[in-house]
Amino acid sequence: MTVCIESAASVHETVELPALVEQLEAVRLCITHFWAATERRLAYPLPVQLRQEFETAVIEIANNIVRHAYPPSAAAATMWMELTYNRCCIVAHFIDSGVPFTRSLPSTRAEMPDPLELPERGWGLQIVHALVDELSYTRNPDGTNHWRLRKVA
């Protein structure tokens, strides 16, 4: 289910999806709808690079939730995503009830190595950190994971 709320100053797009690989295309469609709704509020289009960087970061976090938050035997695994635009920034907020993320988030953008020297897997969060202005993760007492990505618009 997707909900889009537009006002004069902001756009909020919310979707709740099964946390399945097949649903990643629905995440992309949600982002496309979000960009269209956002640009209806602006007198100018958002820069292509800003859109591409934010979209890549959002897809990477959604992919990580699908691939790592739920064991293969998990039934009825879901993720919730909210995209928000206001005059200063674009924010993605993810919630899932999968296993906790136990590694450390990258602390600086300097940790990002040369992309041509990256191994095939394991650098997703460094890439996300390099593409957004803020990346945070919290595990709430109710057992939900919260991911937040923020990019200055």
Side-chain angles (χ1 to χ4, degrees):
M1 179 174 104
T2 301
V3 176
C4 184
I5 301 169
E6 299 178 44
S7 70
S10 66
V11 176
H12 301 278
E13 182 93 18
T14 305
V15 63
E16 184 176 350
L17 298 164
L20 302 169
V21 172
E22 319 61 87
Q23 293 297 320
L24 291 173
E25 184 58 30
V27 172
R28 288 183 202 279
L29 292 173
C30 183
I31 295 169
T32 299
H33 188 264
F34 172 74
W35 292 135
T38 298
E39 291 191 352
R40 283 194 296 271
R41 296 285 156 240
L42 300 172
Y44 55 89
L46 290 169
V48 171
Q49 182 176 346
L50 179 138
R51 288 173 51 153
Q52 290 173 337
E53 289 174 355
F54 188 74
E55 187 167 338
T56 299
V58 167
I59 293 296
E60 181 60 33
I61 293 298
N63 186 54
N64 282 356
I65 291 169
V66 166
R67 295 187 188 279
H68 304 297
Y70 295 100
S73 61
T78 61
M79 71 175 159
W80 176 83
M81 177 181 76
E82 179 182 47
L83 303 172
T84 303
Y85 166 82
N86 63 40
R87 293 179 187 184
C88 73
C89 61
I90 304 165
V91 176
H93 181 207
F94 290 88
I95 299 174
D96 69 80
S97 56
V99 299
F101 174 74
T102 57
R103 294 187 352 213
S104 299
L105 288 177
S107 59
T108 67
R109 292 180 185 196
E111 292 179 32
M112 183 65 187
D114 180 343
L116 298 176
E117 296 178 14
L118 289 173
E120 211 170 299
R121 300 182 63 111
W123 289 97
L125 290 177
Q126 283 82 359
I127 292 168
V128 170
H129 192 267
L131 295 174
V132 298
D133 297 301
E134 178 187 318
L135 168 63
S136 65
Y137 167 80
T138 56
R139 174 79 172 182
N140 283 4
D142 68 358
T144 56
N145 300 307
H146 292 255
W147 291 91
R148 185 174 185 272
L149 293 71
R150 182 178 165 272
K151 188 158 183 78
V152 174

